[in-house]
Amino acid sequence: MPSLAFNLLGESAASVAGGRVAIGRWTLPPLPQPTTRAVPTVSTVSTGTILSIENLRVSYPTPGGLVHPVRGVSFEIREGEALGVVGESGSGKSLTALAASRLIEPPGVVDADRLEFNGIQILTAPEKTIRGLLGTSLAMVFQDPMTSFNPTRRIGSQLAEAAQEHQGMSRQDAMERAVRRLQAVRVPAAARRAEQYPHEFSGGMRQRAMIAMGLMNSPKLIIADEPTTALDVTVQRQVLRLLARVRTDTNAAILLISHDIAVVSQSCERVLVMYAGRIVEDLPTADLYTGARHPYTRALLEVVPDLDTDREEPLGVIPGRPPAPGEVPPGCAFAARCPLATAQCRESDPELEIHGGRHRIACWNPVGGDSGVRLPEPGSAAAHTEAAPVATVGGTR
């Protein structure tokens, strides 16, 4: 307890001293402030759009200066749409979702040309408006429900808290709704299970309870951050089916974050592929296996084993590793790992541009483009760089 009080006192003193925070023998620079823009607080996007993001950036101060783990992300998601986000660990998937939910804590800073949820600019609207909006219309399903739930409180009371806080319901009414929500996500003996603690639930049941918590109000958008991680394949399928049923019943949009591109292709209508804090490809999942043109997207697809994969051969890998947020090179961040990279790729970062319909791609040399280039077969000599470290895709975040 004394050490905790000392830490809190130090943080308070640092904030009073102009926002400079000492870490070891380094002193971090003052926290960056969002750029002030004349952004309207009412919607200027098309009807039916739930979340609209334009040029989203997330910044953190470090001893070496600012780093930007999310660098200019832009996309929209409409009512009832299921949108998947895939990429390796460190690609910025979870940070993008947290930024959209206003859950980035200091010293992180969120800035965007547009960050609009349900018609409200949430970077400029009053805090009271934001609290009521996000508390009732947005739900988060976190990756690990065991650490997301309070282990000292019963499941039912934790679910009821959302309705009590944001809708002013009485404790009894909120508890009755909590039981109904547990029943809706097919938790057996819901009234009895509502009186149990999180450790008394299995992993799959805890994830169902987390989804039930998100349904305590009336969400228009459900953000599911790797909801099937650490679950066996049978439970994974049950959770994904549950999310699909919730979407059908409520017309809520789903933003599904996953490292598993196969899961996203089976569960979503559209997929965003992220790499080093940027979207490198955005396309319908119906075109994913035949129409993906970014070398990184193709590489993600080619390392996923299927029933025809030779079990005597090593699993496919993508050579190299993604750059750290503070070490993103000039040009395309994937160039060092890309067998199609040219001098232009290493010097200039391509913009995310429309390539027909709803397909967007950021690449100077897209696979199957006008030049007719094709990605080398996985494991071939041309697909590997000399002495490059190798990173597998499975199990990344």
Side-chain angles (χ1 to χ4, degrees), residues 184-268:
V185 297
R186 300 186 179 181
V187 172
R192 177 177 62 83
R193 301 304 295 266
E195 298 298 323
Q196 294 181 328
Y197 291 94
H199 71 270
E200 299 180 86
F201 278 52
S202 66
M205 284 298 172
R206 278 194 297 269
Q207 197 60 280
R208 289 173 183 239
M210 180 62 64
I211 296 172
M213 177 181 285
L215 297 177
M216 283 300 293
N217 298 306
S218 302
K220 295 180 180 296
L221 173 63
I222 299 174
I223 299 178
D225 188 358
E226 305 210 34
T228 60
T229 298
L231 301 178
D232 64 68
V233 292
T234 302
V235 178
Q236 283 184 26
R237 189 170 184 84
Q238 292 173 352
V239 170
L240 292 173
R241 282 180 172 175
L242 175 59
L243 285 172
R245 188 166 66 86
V246 167
R247 174 190 166 206
T248 301
D249 293 343
T250 65
N251 198 36
I254 303 287
L255 182 63
L256 175 63
I257 299 170
S258 179
H259 66 268
D260 191 336
I261 197 168
V263 165
V264 168
S265 68
Q266 296 167 10
S267 308
C268 301

Side-chain angles (χ1 to χ4, degrees), residues 8 60 63 103 115 138 167 177 185 191 196 200 202 210 254 257 264 301 304 343-344 348 353 356:
L8 293 175
Y60 285 91
L103 293 177
L115 182 49
L138 188 145
Q167 297 192 25
R177 176 179 288 190
V185 297
Q196 294 181 328
E200 299 180 86
S202 66
M210 180 62 64
I254 303 287
I257 299 170
V264 168
L301 292 168
V304 176
Q344 183 184 29
S348 179
E353 298 180 343

Side-chain angles (χ1 to χ4, degrees), residues 10 20 25 40 74 86 91 101 140 165 173 189 196 245-246 254 307 340 373:
R20 300 183 71 86
R25 57 190 179 91
S74 301
V86 298
S91 60
S101 309
M140 283 285 293
E165 178 69 22
D173 290 344
Q196 294 181 328
R245 188 166 66 86
V246 167
I254 303 287
L307 293 177
L340 307 181
V373 292

Side-chain angles (χ1 to χ4, degrees), residues 306-331:
D306 56 30
L307 293 177
D308 296 327
T309 300
D310 188 347
R311 290 180 293 177
E312 301 298 324
E313 295 294 328
L315 290 175
V317 297
I318 304 177
R321 295 189 180 92
E327 301 174 355
V328 178

Side-chain angles (χ1 to χ4, degrees), residues 69-320:
V70 176
R71 308 178 295 127
V73 167
S74 301
F75 67 91
E76 291 184 351
I77 182 169
R78 300 178 63 82
E79 291 179 356
E81 184 180 16
L83 176 64
V85 185
V86 298
E88 292 172 278
S89 178
S91 60
K93 307 184 303 297
S94 296
L95 277 179
T96 297
L98 291 174
S101 309
R102 287 285 298 270
L103 293 177
I104 298 291
E105 297 182 352
V109 173
V110 177
D111 189 18
D113 294 345
R114 179 193 302 278
L115 182 49
E116 184 174 309
F117 177 69
N118 199 30
I120 303 295
Q121 291 281 357
I122 63 176
L123 288 182
T124 57
E127 189 63 32
K128 183 177 180 180
T129 300
I130 298 304
R131 181 177 175 83
L133 174 68
L134 299 184
T136 57
S137 299
L138 188 145
M140 283 285 293
V141 179
F142 294 100
Q143 179 176 357
D144 185 1
M146 189 62 193
T147 58
S148 300
F149 279 116
N150 186 332
T152 67
R153 296 181 56 194
R154 301 178 194 274
I155 289 289
S157 67
Q158 295 190 59
L159 268 63
E161 184 178 18
Q164 291 177 272
E165 178 69 22
H166 295 290
Q167 297 192 25
M169 297 182 67
S170 66
R171 184 179 183 280
Q172 180 178 352
D173 290 344
M175 282 297 297
E176 290 176 356
R177 176 179 288 190
V179 172
R180 291 197 299 270
R181 293 298 183 264
L182 289 173
Q183 291 172 338
V185 297
R186 300 186 179 181
V187 172
R192 177 177 62 83
R193 301 304 295 266
E195 298 298 323
Q196 294 181 328
Y197 291 94
H199 71 270
E200 299 180 86
F201 278 52
S202 66
M205 284 298 172
R206 278 194 297 269
Q207 197 60 280
R208 289 173 183 239
M210 180 62 64
I211 296 172
M213 177 181 285
L215 297 177
M216 283 300 293
N217 298 306
S218 302
K220 295 180 180 296
L221 173 63
I222 299 174
I223 299 178
D225 188 358
E226 305 210 34
T228 60
T229 298
L231 301 178
D232 64 68
V233 292
T234 302
V235 178
Q236 283 184 26
R237 189 170 184 84
Q238 292 173 352
V239 170
L240 292 173
R241 282 180 172 175
L242 175 59
L243 285 172
R245 188 166 66 86
V246 167
R247 174 190 166 206
T248 301
D249 293 343
T250 65
N251 198 36
I254 303 287
L255 182 63
L256 175 63
I257 299 170
S258 179
H259 66 268
D260 191 336
I261 197 168
V263 165
V264 168
S265 68
Q266 296 167 10
S267 308
C268 301
E269 298 163 343
R270 190 159 57 96
V271 58
L272 304 179
V273 182
M274 291 192 66
Y275 187 81
R278 291 193 62 199
I279 295 174
V280 296
E281 190 159 19
D282 170 7
L283 75 165
T285 52
D287 301 333
L288 183 60
Y289 288 92
T290 58
R293 297 179 61 190
H294 197 285
Y296 180 59
T297 308
R298 299 304 315 174
L300 289 176
L301 292 168
E302 288 166 355
V303 298
V304 176
D306 56 30
L307 293 177
D308 296 327
T309 300
D310 188 347
R311 290 180 293 177
E312 301 298 324
E313 295 294 328
L315 290 175
V317 297
I318 304 177

Side-chain angles (χ1 to χ4, degrees), residues 344-373:
Q344 183 184 29
C345 302
R346 298 182 178 89
E347 296 170 359
S348 179
D349 201 3
E351 296 293 330
L352 188 64
E353 298 180 343
I354 296 177
H355 281 248
R358 302 182 69 188
H359 190 170
R360 298 186 299 163
I361 182 173
C363 185
W364 294 119
N365 299 299
V367 178
D370 295 338
S371 62
V373 292

